[in-house]
Amino acid sequence: MADSPFSLDNEAAYRRWRETKLNAYPTTAEALVVEIKDPRELTTAEVQAMVRVCRKTNMVVYASPLGGREDKALARVLGEQLGLHRLDSNMLADDDGITSLQVAAGKSQRGYIPYSNKRLLWHTDGYYNAPEARIRAFVLHCVSPAAEGGENRLLDHEIAYMLMRDADPDHVRALMEPDAMTIPANTESGEETRAASVGPVFSVDAAGNLQMRYTARTRSIEWKQDAATREAVRFLERLLAGESPYIFRHRMAAGEGLVCNNVLHNRTAFTGDVDKGIARLVYRARYYDRVCGTSLNEPSG
Ligand SMILES: [Fe+2]
């Protein structure tokens, strides 16, 4: 951690990292898009193009001509070609570890928003997971978009870290505390189905990569009760609610998908059109791996 650019004690390394990070950083969501022919059979050039974008921004949007195709291999095999192998099987994922995100009455009535058409607040995936099950990357593959809405906003978590550190290093310090954010145990069914999750917002993993654990929800979350944490959280909330040039907006079209190192994201509400048979269907795969070739200490090329 000592020579990490994310260490608050290493200003020189941070400055170097920051300069590289901002050099040719994309300014539009279109710059994140890579055209591919088939997510299941990426060419070497397609992989290289995707990794190049993702290495800079921790995310890449692919656009394939396979809209409307209901085949989870589109997400799974695409991930494998990008070094994503270790799938996280949360309790609502299907048996193959890939979740079909669509409006499903039973699940959304139990309060699981991803299965409803309501908006999703800013978060990173798996913020309630145990430390050994940190989500480092996820894939979203859009089979069919909604009739209206369902747009994502995306913010590279390394940029969020940078903006906070630039504004006040104490914000970062507070959010790196091991007890900054607590998600109470899930006792929905009267039994504890998930233990309380206590941890930092920002952390650096063994490979030296920055990870972020965050949700903008205000219920079932306990922030550390001190002034520094409160101010840091307020800063982050304002950043996410504002119009930062670093916040990308993208609405996935059919056949498109997002591959990312678990960046901050939200989603607007959406509506289907029963008469026209339009219903949003998105596959989601979450991984303990990070996208290959995008680690801080990996040589580029
Ligand atoms: Fe998510």
Side-chain angles (χ1 to χ4, degrees):
M1 183 71 191
D3 53 359
S4 167
F6 306 118
S7 161
L8 284 166
D9 300 327
N10 197 336
E11 190 63 15
Y14 173 65
R15 288 286 142 200
R16 276 195 302 276
W17 169 84
R18 186 182 183 284
E19 195 185 326
T20 307
K21 179 81 184 174
L22 293 181
N23 180 30
Y25 198 85
T27 53
T28 63
E30 290 75 52
L32 302 174
V33 180
V34 171
E35 305 272 348
I36 64 170
K37 288 230 166 54
D38 185 336
R40 297 162 301 185
E41 282 182 78
L42 297 176
T43 66
T44 307
E46 288 170 348
V47 170
Q48 283 171 347
M50 289 181 72
V51 170
R52 196 179 318 122
V53 174
C54 194
R55 187 176 167 83
K56 173 60 73 178
T57 60
N58 282 308
M59 61 187 120
V60 57
V61 173
Y62 61 87
S64 85
L66 299 185
R69 183 86 56 99
E70 290 193 32
D71 178 3
K72 287 184 177 175
L74 291 166
R76 183 175 47 78
V77 180
L78 172 102
E80 287 169 1
Q81 295 165 91
L82 295 167
L84 303 175
H85 300 283
R86 293 180 297 158
L87 275 162
D88 174 63
S89 292
N90 66 79
M91 62 180 175
L92 293 172
D94 301 336
D95 289 344
D96 57 9
I98 295 179
T99 306
S100 299
L101 298 176
Q102 56 192 334
V103 177
K107 286 171 178 171
S108 72
Q109 278 163 7
R110 295 211 313 265
Y112 294 105
I113 301 293
Y115 302 95
S116 84
N117 59 355
K118 296 196 181 80
R119 74 179 175 138
L120 279 175
L121 298 173
W122 282 100
H123 66 282
T124 57
D125 275 16
Y127 55 82
Y128 38 74
N129 281 19
E132 62 275 15
R134 282 279 174 271
I135 303 302
R136 293 194 173 78
F138 65 82
V139 172
L140 293 177
H141 175 86
C142 179
V143 177
S144 46
E148 245 177 273
E151 176 186 273
N152 291 110
R153 284 185 175 221
L154 305 158
L155 174 62
D156 182 347
H157 58 297
E158 290 181 358
I159 292 287
Y161 172 98
M162 185 196 80
L163 294 171
M164 296 191 84
R165 182 162 171 171
D166 289 351
D168 186 347
D170 283 344
H171 289 339
V172 168
R173 199 182 314 278
L175 296 191
M176 286 183 123
E177 287 293 315
D179 57 350
M181 184 176 108
T182 299
I183 307 296
N186 183 349
T187 52
E188 172 204 14
S189 55
E191 280 171 64
E192 187 173 300
T193 50
R194 181 185 42 69
S197 167
V198 187
V201 172
F202 291 116
S203 59
V204 178
D205 72 9
N209 293 303
L210 185 75
Q211 292 190 273
M212 187 172 188
R213 184 175 159 270
Y214 178 72
T215 173
R217 69 197 278 181
T218 52
R219 286 191 317 165
S220 300
I221 177 167
E222 290 157 14
W223 289 102
K224 187 175 177 179
Q225 290 297 312
D226 67 3
T229 310
R230 261 195 301 276
E231 282 169 32
V233 170
R234 209 174 302 138
F235 180 93
L236 186 53
E237 285 169 353
R238 274 199 299 263
L239 168 66
L240 296 173
E243 291 294 329
S244 165
Y246 295 108
I247 296 178
F248 301 116
R249 301 164 71 132
H250 185 74
R251 185 174 184 269
M252 286 189 290
E256 288 190 358
L258 169 72
V259 181
C260 73
N261 288 322
N262 202 2
V263 296
L264 284 160
H265 57 289
N266 73 2
R267 186 197 72 203
T268 61
F270 63 86
T271 49
D273 189 326
V274 182
D275 294 339
K276 292 187 184 147
I278 300 175
R280 190 177 192 264
L281 172 59
V282 170
Y283 296 139
R284 181 186 65 201
R286 291 168 163 170
Y287 301 93
Y288 305 137
D289 303 307
R290 195 176 154 91
V291 178
C292 67
T294 66
S295 282
L296 202 59
N297 299 320
E298 269 173 289
S300 57

